[in-house]
Every structure is written in C-alpha cells, then in structure tokens.
Amino acid sequence: MKLFSCLMALLLFLLQAVPGLSLPKDTLRCVGYHGFCFHSKSCPEPFAAFGTCFRRQKTCCIDTTSNFHTCQDEGGHCVPPEIKCLQEQVGLCPHREWKCCTEV
C-alpha cells in the first residue's frame, strides 16, 4: 500500500510539473485528502467514497484504516468557516475550508 501511495504522489508531482497536464479540481481535492481515484462507482474495502475524480468520471475513495475519516463517520457536521463551532471534531469535510463540528 505504501508503494502505491508513493507512486501516486510521484505521478501527481510529474503532472503538476509539466505545463498543460494539470489535474481537474475534484481530482486535486481527492489527492489532497490522500484519496485514490477508482473507475467503479463503489470503493473496494477498506476504502469509502468521498466525492468524485476526473470531472465526475471516477470515484474518489479514501482509506478508512488511516486517520483520514470523514466528519460524518466521526459523528460531526460539516459547516462553512463563518459558522462558529462550540466544539470542533477531527474529520474530513467535502469542502477543504469547512470545519467539522460536534456542537454548532
């Protein structure tokens, strides 16, 4: 699994280094959350679906065995940055700037 992650990171680096080969925004967001893009609509175990990749043609899957759990999996709610949280929670939200809160 670590070899696969290193190869994906190298591929991302090469695609960003060559002008004109930049990745779509949804793919960059997926990779930014340490996700992988799969052709199927459902993710294989131990991955969970977390949006789309390559202009909604693939599914972004994140590893549920890592520390990158979604906010809802951890019992929280994703809120925009202008909303104040009484208690913040660790977890991923679909929008990078949003916060994961247990109490709003």
Side-chain angles (χ1 to χ4, degrees):
M1 189 61 135
K2 287 191 177 215
L3 178 63
F4 183 68
S5 297
C6 290
L7 289 174
M8 288 298 291
L10 178 63
L11 177 64
L12 176 65
F13 173 76
L14 291 174
L15 286 173
Q16 288 180 336
V18 177
L21 291 180
S22 63
L23 296 173
K25 286 183 182 180
D26 60 350
T27 306
L28 290 174
R29 181 178 67 86
C30 180
V31 173
Y33 281 122
H34 304 279
F36 302 97
C37 297
F38 290 95
H39 286 283
S40 64
K41 293 294 178 188
S42 61
C43 299
E45 290 290 330
F47 295 92
F50 190 68
T52 61
C53 294
F54 293 101
R55 295 180 181 91
R56 298 180 185 218
Q57 295 177 2
K58 296 182 182 180
T59 304
C60 175
C61 301
I62 58 170
D63 187 357
T64 58
T65 60
S66 70
N67 293 330
F68 302 102
H69 295 286
T70 62
C71 183
Q72 288 80 8
D73 289 343
E74 299 296 325
H77 307 283
C78 290
V79 296
E82 58 270 7
I83 294 178
K84 191 172 190 173
C85 291
L86 296 176
Q87 185 175 358
E88 285 199 39
Q89 171 90 10
V90 174
L92 299 177
C93 291
H95 303 286
R96 186 169 211 109
E97 61 275 352
W98 285 31
K99 301 178 283 190
C100 182
C101 299
T102 54
E103 299 278 331
V104 180

XYZ file of all heavy atoms in Angstrom:
810
model
N 0.826 -1.185 0.000
C 0.000 0.000 0.000
C 0.877 1.258 0.000
O 0.542 2.229 -0.638
C -0.934 -0.052 1.204
C -1.960 1.014 1.175
S -2.997 0.869 -0.271
C -4.568 1.085 0.412
N 1.982 1.225 0.747
C 2.861 2.393 0.783
C 3.513 2.633 -0.570
O 3.679 3.772 -0.978
C 3.924 2.235 1.868
C 3.375 2.381 3.248
C 4.482 2.482 4.254
C 3.855 2.692 5.614
N 4.616 3.540 6.444
N 3.855 1.572 -1.273
C 4.433 1.708 -2.603
C 3.435 2.366 -3.547
O 3.796 3.261 -4.316
C 4.860 0.342 -3.144
C 5.433 0.345 -4.563
C 6.720 1.158 -4.612
C 5.680 -1.067 -5.037
N 2.178 1.949 -3.465
C 1.123 2.540 -4.295
C 0.973 4.031 -3.988
O 0.860 4.853 -4.893
C -0.196 1.802 -4.071
C -1.317 2.301 -4.927
C -1.299 2.118 -6.301
C -2.395 2.953 -4.358
C -2.326 2.568 -7.098
C -3.431 3.411 -5.147
C -3.394 3.220 -6.521
N 1.010 4.398 -2.717
C 0.903 5.806 -2.317
C 2.076 6.622 -2.849
O 1.901 7.745 -3.325
C 0.850 5.930 -0.796
O -0.291 5.311 -0.298
N 3.273 6.049 -2.786
C 4.460 6.754 -3.295
C 4.379 6.947 -4.804
O 4.720 8.011 -5.323
C 5.728 5.991 -2.929
S 6.106 6.029 -1.178
N 3.902 5.920 -5.505
C 3.759 6.037 -6.955
C 2.707 7.081 -7.337
O 2.895 7.851 -8.282
C 3.398 4.682 -7.563
C 4.513 3.643 -7.559
C 3.983 2.302 -8.040
C 5.685 4.099 -8.400
N 1.608 7.128 -6.584
C 0.570 8.134 -6.852
C 1.114 9.540 -6.590
O 0.838 10.467 -7.343
C -0.665 7.875 -5.991
C -1.472 6.674 -6.420
S -2.138 6.805 -8.082
C -3.351 8.081 -7.844
N 1.888 9.709 -5.523
C 2.475 11.014 -5.216
C 3.448 11.445 -6.310
O 3.472 12.607 -6.713
C 3.168 10.972 -3.863
N 4.239 10.502 -6.808
C 5.179 10.802 -7.889
C 4.423 11.192 -9.158
O 4.792 12.152 -9.835
C 6.078 9.600 -8.149
C 7.093 9.756 -9.286
C 8.083 10.874 -8.976
C 7.823 8.455 -9.527
N 3.367 10.468 -9.477
C 2.554 10.790 -10.648
C 1.944 12.183 -10.521
O 1.965 12.970 -11.473
C 1.452 9.748 -10.834
C 0.487 9.997 -11.978
C 1.215 9.933 -13.319
C -0.651 9.004 -11.926
N 1.414 12.497 -9.342
C 0.843 13.824 -9.113
C 1.897 14.909 -9.288
O 1.655 15.929 -9.928
C 0.237 13.905 -7.708
C -0.316 15.268 -7.310
C -1.499 15.636 -8.185
C -0.703 15.274 -5.859
N 3.089 14.681 -8.743
C 4.169 15.655 -8.880
C 4.513 15.881 -10.350
O 4.669 17.010 -10.802
C 5.404 15.192 -8.104
C 6.605 16.057 -8.330
C 6.702 17.290 -7.714
C 7.628 15.645 -9.173
C 7.804 18.102 -7.932
C 8.731 16.441 -9.390
C 8.821 17.676 -8.766
N 4.648 14.795 -11.105
C 5.002 14.920 -12.518
C 3.912 15.636 -13.316
O 4.205 16.450 -14.188
C 5.271 13.538 -13.115
C 6.534 12.848 -12.619
C 6.618 11.431 -13.166
C 7.771 13.641 -12.984
N 2.655 15.348 -13.001
C 1.565 16.003 -13.719
C 1.492 17.494 -13.413
O 1.123 18.294 -14.265
C 0.233 15.329 -13.400
C 0.021 13.968 -14.051
C -1.254 13.328 -13.531
C -0.008 14.074 -15.561
N 1.838 17.874 -12.185
C 1.826 19.287 -11.835
C 3.049 20.013 -12.379
O 2.997 21.201 -12.642
C 1.757 19.459 -10.318
C 0.407 19.091 -9.767
C 0.350 19.264 -8.262
O 1.374 19.231 -7.582
N -0.841 19.446 -7.745
N 4.154 19.309 -12.578
C 5.391 19.928 -13.041
C 5.353 20.235 -14.533
O 6.004 21.161 -15.000
C 6.588 19.031 -12.727
N 4.588 19.460 -15.302
C 4.524 19.647 -16.751
C 3.368 20.579 -17.077
O 2.223 20.282 -16.754
C 4.331 18.286 -17.462
C 4.195 18.477 -18.960
C 5.475 17.351 -17.126
N 3.628 21.739 -17.705
C 2.555 22.671 -18.038
C 1.532 22.018 -18.969
O 1.862 21.262 -19.859
C 3.274 23.816 -18.756
C 4.721 23.655 -18.427
C 4.935 22.205 -18.111
N 0.255 22.324 -18.736
C -0.808 21.807 -19.576
C -1.321 20.444 -19.160
O -2.303 19.964 -19.701
N -0.688 19.799 -18.198
C -1.135 18.487 -17.748
C -1.693 18.532 -16.327
O -1.666 17.538 -15.623
C 0.025 17.479 -17.800
C 0.524 17.083 -19.174
C 1.664 16.084 -19.042
C -0.592 16.477 -20.017
N -2.202 19.666 -15.915
C -2.701 19.763 -14.547
C -3.967 18.930 -14.384
O -4.708 18.695 -15.327
C -2.976 21.218 -14.183
O -3.992 21.739 -15.010
N -4.198 18.464 -13.165
C -5.343 17.614 -12.863
C -6.589 18.460 -12.617
O -6.483 19.608 -12.183
C -5.037 16.780 -11.629
C -3.898 15.780 -11.776
C -3.583 15.151 -10.421
C -4.267 14.704 -12.770
N -7.782 17.898 -12.851
C -9.021 18.610 -12.541
C -9.110 18.923 -11.050
O -8.501 18.239 -10.222
C -10.117 17.629 -12.958
C -9.466 16.667 -13.876
C -8.028 16.603 -13.478
N -9.910 19.925 -10.701
C -10.022 20.362 -9.304
C -10.512 19.243 -8.382
O -10.020 19.094 -7.280
C -10.964 21.556 -9.194
C -10.372 22.842 -9.696
C -11.337 23.991 -9.488
C -10.766 25.272 -10.047
N -11.673 26.397 -9.856
N -11.502 18.456 -8.842
C -12.007 17.401 -7.971
C -10.954 16.322 -7.712
O -10.866 15.769 -6.627
C -13.309 16.803 -8.494
C -13.200 16.177 -9.877
O -12.164 16.351 -10.549
O -14.166 15.511 -10.296
N -10.091 16.088 -8.688
C -9.009 15.116 -8.508
C -7.957 15.649 -7.544
O -7.477 14.919 -6.672
C -8.358 14.771 -9.859
O -9.371 14.342 -10.759
C -7.306 13.689 -9.708
N -7.606 16.919 -7.663
C -6.640 17.523 -6.744
C -7.165 17.499 -5.311
O -6.413 17.252 -4.368
C -6.317 18.956 -7.177
C -5.497 19.082 -8.448
C -5.369 20.550 -8.849
C -4.126 18.464 -8.277
N -8.478 17.733 -5.145
C -9.077 17.700 -3.808
C -8.992 16.288 -3.244
O -8.646 16.079 -2.086
C -10.531 18.157 -3.866
C -11.209 18.178 -2.509
C -12.635 18.684 -2.606
N -13.495 17.788 -3.333
C -14.141 16.753 -2.792
N -14.006 16.510 -1.513
N -14.913 15.985 -3.516
N -9.275 15.288 -4.074
C -9.213 13.892 -3.639
C -7.797 13.524 -3.198
O -7.597 12.968 -2.125
C -9.667 12.975 -4.774
S -9.649 11.221 -4.363
N -6.820 13.854 -4.019
C -5.425 13.550 -3.700
C -4.976 14.337 -2.472
O -4.217 13.844 -1.641
C -4.521 13.827 -4.918
C -3.055 13.680 -4.573
C -4.890 12.889 -6.061
N -5.480 15.562 -2.324
C -5.151 16.374 -1.152
C -5.620 15.738 0.146
O -5.042 15.951 1.202
N -6.680 14.949 0.061
C -7.179 14.215 1.229
C -6.620 12.800 1.278
O -7.179 11.931 1.935
C -8.708 14.157 1.202
C -9.368 15.428 1.664
C -10.234 16.117 0.831
C -9.134 15.935 2.933
C -10.854 17.281 1.254
C -9.740 17.094 3.364
C -10.613 17.766 2.518
O -11.222 18.899 2.948
N -5.533 12.549 0.537
C -4.879 11.241 0.497
C -5.813 10.161 -0.046
O -5.776 9.028 0.399
C -4.345 10.844 1.876
C -3.409 11.847 2.452
N -2.083 11.913 2.102
C -3.619 12.867 3.319
C -1.516 12.924 2.750
N -2.428 13.506 3.486
N -6.646 10.554 -1.011
C -7.570 9.617 -1.632
C -7.022 9.069 -2.940
O -5.983 9.508 -3.438
N -7.735 8.105 -3.486
C -7.381 7.481 -4.747
C -8.603 7.493 -5.647
O -9.729 7.413 -5.175
C -6.914 6.038 -4.526
C -5.745 5.933 -3.595
C -5.929 5.633 -2.260
C -4.458 6.155 -4.058
C -4.855 5.541 -1.394
C -3.379 6.071 -3.207
C -3.575 5.761 -1.879
N -8.393 7.568 -6.955
C -9.487 7.604 -7.915
C -9.695 6.211 -8.511
O -8.774 5.621 -9.046
C -9.182 8.606 -9.026
S -9.027 10.281 -8.411
N -10.926 5.703 -8.393
C -11.273 4.391 -8.920
C -12.316 4.534 -10.020
O -13.159 5.422 -9.974
C -11.839 3.487 -7.807
C -10.813 3.054 -6.801
C -10.633 3.756 -5.625
C -10.017 1.946 -7.034
C -9.691 3.356 -4.685
C -9.068 1.539 -6.102
C -8.910 2.246 -4.932
N -12.279 3.621 -10.994
C -13.249 3.646 -12.095
C -14.652 3.276 -11.637
O -15.624 3.789 -12.160
C -12.821 2.679 -13.215
C -11.675 3.195 -14.016
N -11.806 4.169 -14.973
C -10.359 2.873 -14.001
C -10.631 4.428 -15.516
N -9.724 3.658 -14.938
N -14.756 2.371 -10.674
C -16.079 1.902 -10.251
C -16.774 2.957 -9.392
O -16.139 3.830 -8.815
C -15.953 0.603 -9.475
O -15.227 0.826 -8.287
N -18.103 2.859 -9.324
C -18.897 3.797 -8.513
C -18.793 3.483 -7.030
O -19.033 4.336 -6.197
C -20.367 3.763 -8.947
C -20.587 4.301 -10.338
C -20.280 5.776 -10.403
C -20.445 6.298 -11.821
N -19.996 7.651 -11.967
N -18.446 2.242 -6.695
C -18.279 1.879 -5.293
C -16.800 1.621 -5.028
O -16.064 1.193 -5.904
C -19.112 0.642 -4.950
O -18.694 -0.450 -5.727
N -16.394 1.882 -3.810
C -14.990 1.734 -3.429
C -14.738 0.352 -2.833
O -15.571 -0.163 -2.080
C -14.614 2.791 -2.401
S -14.805 4.467 -3.005
N -13.589 -0.240 -3.125
C -13.258 -1.535 -2.512
C -12.903 -1.352 -1.040
O -12.544 -0.260 -0.611
C -12.045 -1.999 -3.320
C -11.421 -0.746 -3.821
C -12.544 0.227 -4.035
N -13.017 -2.410 -0.272
C -12.610 -2.371 1.139
C -11.112 -2.129 1.210
O -10.392 -2.635 0.356
C -12.963 -3.694 1.830
C -14.448 -3.894 2.013
C -15.056 -2.974 3.046
O -14.360 -2.592 4.004
O -16.221 -2.608 2.879
N -10.550 -1.392 2.096
C -11.137 -0.666 3.209
C -11.398 0.807 2.867
O -11.304 1.676 3.719
C -10.058 -0.781 4.277
C -8.777 -0.679 3.490
C -9.084 -1.388 2.175
N -11.722 1.115 1.620
C -11.933 2.492 1.200
C -13.404 2.889 1.296
O -14.293 2.040 1.232
C -11.458 2.690 -0.244
C -9.978 2.521 -0.420
C -9.444 1.294 -0.759
C -9.127 3.593 -0.237
C -8.082 1.131 -0.921
C -7.754 3.442 -0.394
C -7.232 2.207 -0.733
N -13.653 4.197 1.439
C -15.008 4.742 1.467
C -15.093 5.871 0.439
O -14.129 6.612 0.238
C -15.329 5.282 2.858
N -16.236 5.999 -0.212
C -16.436 7.033 -1.230
C -16.374 8.417 -0.594
O -16.952 8.657 0.464
C -17.765 6.830 -1.934
N -15.681 9.343 -1.270
C -15.539 10.714 -0.775
C -15.532 11.663 -1.962
O -14.570 12.364 -2.220
C -14.248 10.854 0.045
C -14.142 12.156 0.785
C -14.995 12.441 1.830
C -13.196 13.097 0.427
C -14.893 13.642 2.514
C -13.085 14.302 1.106
C -13.937 14.575 2.151
N -16.579 11.638 -2.772
C -16.675 12.554 -3.904
C -16.270 11.904 -5.212
O -16.318 10.685 -5.366
N -15.870 12.761 -6.153
C -15.552 12.289 -7.499
C -14.144 12.690 -7.903
O -13.483 13.460 -7.211
C -16.538 12.887 -8.526
O -16.421 14.310 -8.493
C -17.961 12.465 -8.256
N -13.702 12.165 -9.052
C -12.400 12.479 -9.639
C -12.567 12.630 -11.141
O -13.529 12.117 -11.717
C -11.402 11.353 -9.402
S -10.942 11.086 -7.705
N -11.598 13.250 -11.761
C -11.520 13.381 -13.205
C -12.850 13.829 -13.813
O -13.456 13.141 -14.625
C -11.011 12.082 -13.852
C -9.593 11.793 -13.494
C -9.289 10.871 -12.517
C -8.550 12.479 -14.104
C -7.976 10.621 -12.151
C -7.228 12.237 -13.747
C -6.946 11.311 -12.773
N -13.274 15.005 -13.329
C -14.511 15.645 -13.811
C -15.719 14.719 -13.694
O -16.473 14.532 -14.625
C -14.324 16.154 -15.229
C -13.284 17.259 -15.313
C -13.117 17.762 -16.731
N -12.099 18.795 -16.780
C -10.800 18.577 -16.995
N -10.365 17.345 -17.168
N -9.963 19.568 -17.032
N -15.873 14.136 -12.515
C -17.006 13.282 -12.148
C -17.079 11.969 -12.917
O -18.119 11.333 -12.968
C -18.319 14.038 -12.280
C -18.401 15.221 -11.365
C -19.699 15.933 -11.522
N -19.686 17.138 -10.705
C -20.724 17.579 -10.047
N -21.858 16.936 -10.109
N -20.634 18.675 -9.336
N -15.981 11.536 -13.505
C -15.979 10.277 -14.241
C -15.533 9.104 -13.371
O -15.759 7.955 -13.729
C -15.089 10.382 -15.473
C -15.601 11.379 -16.480
C -14.656 11.525 -17.661
O -13.640 10.851 -17.741
N -14.990 12.413 -18.571
N -14.857 9.389 -12.246
C -14.376 8.343 -11.354
C -14.797 8.672 -9.933
O -15.250 9.773 -9.648
C -12.850 8.234 -11.428
C -12.330 7.801 -12.782
C -10.824 7.670 -12.763
C -10.299 7.274 -14.131
N -8.842 7.154 -14.122
N -14.621 7.719 -9.038
C -14.982 7.902 -7.639
C -13.728 8.119 -6.806
O -12.755 7.383 -6.947
C -15.733 6.657 -7.113
O -16.862 6.425 -7.949
C -16.191 6.856 -5.687
N -13.769 9.129 -5.939
C -12.670 9.381 -5.008
C -12.899 8.517 -3.780
O -13.950 8.576 -3.150
C -12.641 10.856 -4.609
S -11.405 11.230 -3.354
N -11.921 7.702 -3.448
C -12.025 6.798 -2.307
C -10.902 7.090 -1.322
O -9.757 7.241 -1.725
C -11.937 5.351 -2.774
S -13.204 4.882 -3.957
N -11.263 7.169 -0.036
C -10.248 7.381 1.000
C -10.148 6.129 1.856
O -11.109 5.381 2.014
C -10.544 8.619 1.876
C -11.906 8.509 2.540
C -10.440 9.893 1.082
C -12.150 9.568 3.581
N -8.973 5.905 2.395
C -8.689 4.715 3.199
C -9.291 4.875 4.590
O -8.922 5.789 5.325
C -7.175 4.519 3.282
C -6.783 3.227 3.956
O -7.673 2.491 4.422
O -5.579 2.952 4.008
N -10.205 3.994 4.958
C -10.851 4.098 6.270
C -9.976 3.569 7.397
O -10.304 3.765 8.563
C -12.189 3.328 6.273
O -11.938 1.970 5.926
C -13.167 3.938 5.301
N -8.867 2.903 7.063
C -7.976 2.400 8.117
C -6.954 3.448 8.535
O -6.222 3.254 9.488
C -7.231 1.133 7.658
O -6.437 1.444 6.508
C -8.207 0.025 7.326
N -6.909 4.569 7.829
C -5.962 5.633 8.170
C -6.639 6.639 9.093
O -7.769 6.459 9.525
C -5.472 6.327 6.904
O -6.527 7.080 6.336
N -5.964 7.731 9.371
C -6.510 8.788 10.217
C -7.400 9.748 9.441
O -7.829 10.759 9.980
C -5.376 9.584 10.869
C -4.625 8.742 11.859
O -5.185 7.834 12.466
N -3.343 9.013 12.021
N -7.693 9.459 8.190
C -8.453 10.366 7.345
C -9.906 9.924 7.263
O -10.364 9.441 6.249
C -7.822 10.446 5.951
C -6.399 10.890 5.991
C -5.369 9.978 5.855
C -6.087 12.216 6.198
C -4.056 10.391 5.906
C -4.771 12.627 6.253
C -3.754 11.718 6.106
N -10.637 10.036 8.342
C -12.046 9.667 8.379
C -12.904 10.889 8.059
O -12.549 12.015 8.371
C -12.433 9.120 9.751
C -11.735 7.847 10.081
N -12.076 6.650 9.504
C -10.703 7.579 10.903
C -11.296 5.709 9.972
N -10.445 6.237 10.824
N -14.063 10.641 7.472
C -14.959 11.753 7.158
C -15.590 12.272 8.439
O -15.684 11.567 9.449
C -16.062 11.324 6.174
O -16.845 10.304 6.775
C -15.473 10.843 4.864
N -16.041 13.489 8.384
C -16.652 14.146 9.538
C -17.875 13.368 10.027
O -18.050 13.154 11.217
C -17.038 15.570 9.147
S -17.733 16.553 10.483
N -18.725 12.932 9.090
C -19.941 12.210 9.463
C -19.612 10.867 10.114
O -20.315 10.428 11.016
C -20.839 11.992 8.235
C -21.508 13.256 7.741
C -20.598 14.132 6.888
O -19.478 13.736 6.535
N -21.038 15.333 6.559
N -18.533 10.210 9.674
C -18.116 8.949 10.290
C -17.751 9.147 11.752
O -17.900 8.250 12.569
C -16.911 8.346 9.564
C -17.256 7.809 8.189
O -18.455 7.611 7.911
O -16.326 7.592 7.400
N -17.240 10.328 12.072
C -16.810 10.628 13.438
C -17.931 11.254 14.272
O -17.708 11.680 15.393
C -15.602 11.573 13.408
C -14.386 10.990 12.701
C -13.824 9.768 13.413
O -13.864 9.722 14.651
O -13.366 8.849 12.709
N -19.136 11.362 13.710
C -20.276 11.902 14.457
C -20.388 13.410 14.419
O -21.094 14.000 15.233
N -19.728 14.061 13.466
C -19.778 15.517 13.377
C -20.608 16.010 12.218
O -21.225 15.236 11.490
N -20.618 17.339 12.045
C -21.330 18.007 10.969
C -20.367 18.969 10.287
O -19.647 19.705 10.958
C -22.524 18.815 11.500
C -23.442 18.022 12.364
N -24.346 17.131 11.865
C -23.573 17.978 13.712
C -25.014 16.582 12.859
N -24.555 17.075 13.995
N -20.363 18.996 8.958
C -19.518 19.933 8.215
C -20.216 21.276 8.116
O -21.386 21.346 7.737
C -19.237 19.387 6.817
S -18.160 17.950 6.830
N -19.494 22.319 8.488
C -20.061 23.669 8.440
C -19.070 24.614 7.758
O -17.863 24.401 7.806
C -20.389 24.191 9.862
C -21.461 23.358 10.526
C -19.155 24.252 10.731
N -19.592 25.680 7.108
C -18.704 26.650 6.480
C -17.894 27.415 7.528
O -18.264 27.450 8.708
C -19.648 27.580 5.717
C -21.021 27.246 6.134
C -20.994 25.959 6.875
N -16.796 28.044 7.107
C -15.905 28.707 8.071
C -16.548 29.857 8.844
O -16.114 30.169 9.949
C -14.734 29.218 7.217
C -15.127 29.038 5.814
C -16.294 28.115 5.750
N -17.603 30.471 8.292
C -18.214 31.602 9.000
C -19.069 31.177 10.192
O -19.411 31.993 11.045
C -19.037 32.477 8.045
C -20.139 31.773 7.303
C -19.695 31.200 5.967
O -18.495 31.222 5.633
O -20.571 30.700 5.248
N -19.405 29.905 10.286
C -20.178 29.405 11.422
C -19.214 29.027 12.546
O -18.202 28.373 12.321
C -21.045 28.195 11.016
C -22.109 28.651 10.024
C -21.671 27.535 12.236
C -22.999 27.554 9.517
N -19.557 29.451 13.760
C -18.693 29.199 14.905
C -19.054 27.869 15.561
O -20.217 27.603 15.847
C -18.845 30.338 15.916
C -17.815 30.327 16.997
C -17.908 31.573 17.832
C -16.721 31.648 18.757
N -16.686 32.917 19.469
N -18.059 27.043 15.785
C -18.252 25.743 16.438
C -18.081 25.890 17.941
O -17.169 26.561 18.400
C -17.210 24.733 15.964
S -17.364 24.219 14.277
N -18.971 25.238 18.691
C -18.766 25.167 20.133
C -17.703 24.124 20.444
O -16.918 24.277 21.366
C -20.075 24.819 20.849
C -21.187 25.858 20.727
C -22.454 25.348 21.388
C -20.752 27.178 21.365
N -17.685 23.057 19.650
C -16.676 22.011 19.827
C -16.319 21.454 18.456
O -17.172 20.974 17.737
C -17.204 20.909 20.726
C -16.171 19.866 21.044
C -16.696 18.836 22.033
O -17.821 18.923 22.505
N -15.877 17.865 22.343
N -15.020 21.549 18.114
C -14.570 21.024 16.818
C -14.233 19.548 16.942
O -13.892 19.056 18.004
C -13.364 21.812 16.306
C -13.756 23.170 15.772
C -12.712 23.775 14.853
O -12.114 23.031 14.060
O -12.509 24.979 14.942
N -14.341 18.861 15.815
C -14.117 17.419 15.734
C -13.107 17.165 14.629
O -13.060 17.896 13.654
C -15.457 16.758 15.390
C -15.399 15.314 15.067
C -15.579 14.462 16.300
O -15.925 14.971 17.340
N -15.307 13.201 16.191
N -12.313 16.127 14.746
C -11.398 15.731 13.686
C -12.192 14.931 12.661
O -12.941 14.030 13.024
C -10.239 14.878 14.244
C -9.372 14.359 13.126
C -9.417 15.685 15.223
N -12.049 15.285 11.395
C -12.741 14.581 10.325
C -12.706 15.380 9.049
O -12.535 16.604 9.077
N -12.854 14.722 7.916
C -12.796 15.379 6.615
C -14.164 15.870 6.180
O -15.161 15.181 6.346
C -12.274 14.403 5.562
C -10.876 13.857 5.765
C -10.550 12.850 4.687
C -9.862 14.969 5.772
N -14.182 17.055 5.594
C -15.399 17.624 5.019
C -15.218 17.735 3.505
O -14.101 17.883 3.024
C -15.671 19.004 5.605
S -16.145 18.951 7.345
N -16.334 17.676 2.741
C -16.225 17.745 1.287
C -15.546 19.014 0.778
O -14.892 18.994 -0.240
C -17.670 17.683 0.808
C -18.426 17.088 1.930
C -17.692 17.461 3.175
N -15.724 20.109 1.488
C -15.068 21.363 1.112
C -13.884 21.568 2.041
O -14.026 21.525 3.261
C -16.034 22.542 1.213
C -17.262 22.357 0.377
N -17.245 22.465 -0.986
C -18.530 22.052 0.717
C -18.459 22.248 -1.451
N -19.259 21.985 -0.440
N -12.716 21.796 1.474
C -11.479 21.845 2.251
C -11.507 22.902 3.357
O -11.000 22.691 4.446
C -10.291 22.081 1.314
C -8.984 21.998 2.047
C -7.806 21.956 1.089
N -6.795 21.182 1.717
C -6.401 19.981 1.372
N -6.943 19.399 0.366
N -5.476 19.338 2.022
N -12.105 24.056 3.115
C -12.079 25.129 4.118
C -13.154 24.962 5.197
O -13.162 25.676 6.180
C -12.204 26.500 3.440
C -13.474 26.713 2.671
C -13.425 26.180 1.247
O -12.353 25.762 0.768
O -14.471 26.174 0.596
N -14.054 24.014 5.049
C -15.100 23.806 6.037
C -14.531 23.119 7.279
O -13.485 22.498 7.242
C -16.222 22.970 5.443
C -17.092 23.744 4.503
C -16.715 24.778 3.704
C -18.472 23.543 4.245
N -17.769 25.220 2.964
C -18.860 24.488 3.280
C -19.413 22.644 4.730
C -20.169 24.556 2.803
C -20.706 22.716 4.255
C -21.078 23.660 3.308
N -15.269 23.260 8.393
C -14.846 22.666 9.659
C -15.794 21.531 10.033
O -16.953 21.532 9.658
C -14.899 23.714 10.782
C -14.036 24.923 10.535
C -14.200 25.910 11.679
C -15.514 26.638 11.517
N -15.697 27.768 12.406
N -15.272 20.620 10.810
C -16.063 19.516 11.330
C -16.392 19.839 12.788
O -15.495 20.022 13.599
C -15.279 18.206 11.226
S -16.179 16.767 11.793
N -17.675 19.945 13.105
C -18.101 20.321 14.444
C -19.014 19.255 15.038
O -19.802 18.635 14.327
C -18.891 21.627 14.414
S -17.974 23.024 13.781
N -18.906 19.068 16.356
C -19.870 18.210 17.044
C -21.005 19.053 17.593
O -22.130 18.604 17.665
C -19.196 17.433 18.196
O -18.534 18.367 19.061
C -18.208 16.441 17.681
N -20.715 20.285 17.982
C -21.728 21.219 18.514
C -21.650 22.519 17.738
O -20.575 23.081 17.567
C -21.466 21.520 19.994
C -21.518 20.321 20.901
C -22.926 19.939 21.292
O -23.785 20.830 21.340
O -23.165 18.750 21.523
N -22.784 22.985 17.210
C -22.800 24.241 16.445
C -23.506 25.301 17.267
O -24.462 25.059 17.956
C -23.536 24.050 15.105
C -23.554 25.346 14.323
C -22.863 22.961 14.313
